[in-house]
Amino acid sequence: DAGVTQSPTHLIKTRGQHVTLRCSPISGHKSVSWYQQVLGQGPQFIFQYYEKEERGRGNFPDRFSARQFPNYSSELNVNALLLGDSALYLCASSSTPGQHYEQYFGPGTRLTVT
Amino acid sequence: AQRVTQPEKLLSVFKGAPVELKCNYSYSGSPELFWYVQYSRQRLQLLLRHISRESIKGFTADLNKGETSFHLKKPFAQEEDSAMYYCALISGGGADGLTFGKGTHLIIQP
């Protein structure tokens, strides 16, 4: 198993555009979480999905949305991009949600907004 | 609101010296605490969690609820320990995800 995979690796967008980031969890994992990591900071929680339902949401504006598909892969969408959205976006998967289950992280997608 | 504080942005020690990475947290309930590590050009990975009470790669961390701390320690640093270390907590069933500190960059000098 390649672990959690994310695509694309890097992305450059212009302010006001829309972006879609993709994540494939470890085989057998049903829960996916998204994090934003701005340079010099720790990752910040955006969303958690389990069985295609949103289970938790961090303090992010409505421009951020996500969904999970029947195969448990997930997309993170960001509308009306701002310069401040430039960051590394991390996806993490776990077998089930809940604080006792280890989250495995992907390599991230580096988004640059110009 | 829950918060994790790592006071040291950068910590440099010599090989063979003891290492202590500090982590303090604020949360009124009973969170679960973790240390994550990111080696150069690798993805973020779990190093250890307080409920396991185990030693990984010679590292240990004890949860001190009185001081709300979860410091990471190793008696003798090795060069391969150089990495970014993040302290994190999770609570409330996990729906709010992990809350991370800003991280400490540990450099082990030969």
Side-chain angles (χ1 to χ4, degrees), chain A residues 13-102:
Chain A
K13 290 286 190 178
T14 305
R15 275 177 297 176
Q17 286 188 317
H18 161 270
V19 69
T20 298
L21 310 180
R22 296 178 175 81
C23 170
S24 292
I26 290 172
S27 177
H29 283 192
K30 299 181 178 181
S31 181
V32 169
S33 298
W34 286 95
Y35 294 82
Q36 180 195 64
Q37 186 173 19
V38 175
L39 197 61
Q41 304 288 320
Q44 187 175 358
F45 173 69
I46 310 175
F47 286 110
Q48 183 183 89
Y49 273 76
Y50 175 63
E51 293 282 11
K52 296 171 287 180
E53 297 289 330
E54 181 183 304
R55 196 170 173 273
R57 182 184 185 120
N59 188 24
F60 279 81
D62 292 343
R63 299 185 296 107
F64 288 77
S65 63
R67 55 178 175 167
Q68 187 177 33
F69 299 99
N71 66 354
Y72 304 110
S73 66
S74 177
E75 283 183 354
L76 175 70
N77 295 283
V78 187
N79 291 323
L81 284 166
L82 303 175
L83 294 179
D85 295 331
S86 294
L88 181 68
Y89 288 84
L90 296 170
C91 173
S93 76
S94 60
S95 54
T96 58
Q99 62 191 73
H100 302 303
Y101 297 92
E102 181 177 346

Side-chain angles (χ1 to χ4, degrees), chain B residues 37-71:
Chain B
V37 62
Q38 187 166 27
Y39 301 102
S40 180
R41 296 191 183 86
Q42 294 187 27
R43 59 186 69 188
L44 196 62
Q45 59 186 282
L46 179 65
L47 178 62
L48 54 80
R49 56 202 304 175
H50 89 268
I51 62 168
S52 299
R53 302 183 67 81
E54 56 188 348
S55 174
I56 304 293
K57 298 184 179 183
F59 284 98
T60 59
D62 291 319
L63 180 61
N64 185 323
K65 292 185 178 181
E67 296 183 357
T68 60
S69 67
F70 188 57
H71 303 326

Side-chain angles (χ1 to χ4, degrees), chain B residues 1-5 24-29 31 33 68-69 89 99:
Chain B
Q2 55 204 41
R3 175 177 286 186
V4 175
T5 303
N24 288 90
Y25 67 93
S26 62
Y27 183 71
S28 57
L33 275 294
T68 60
S69 67
L89 71 78
T99 297

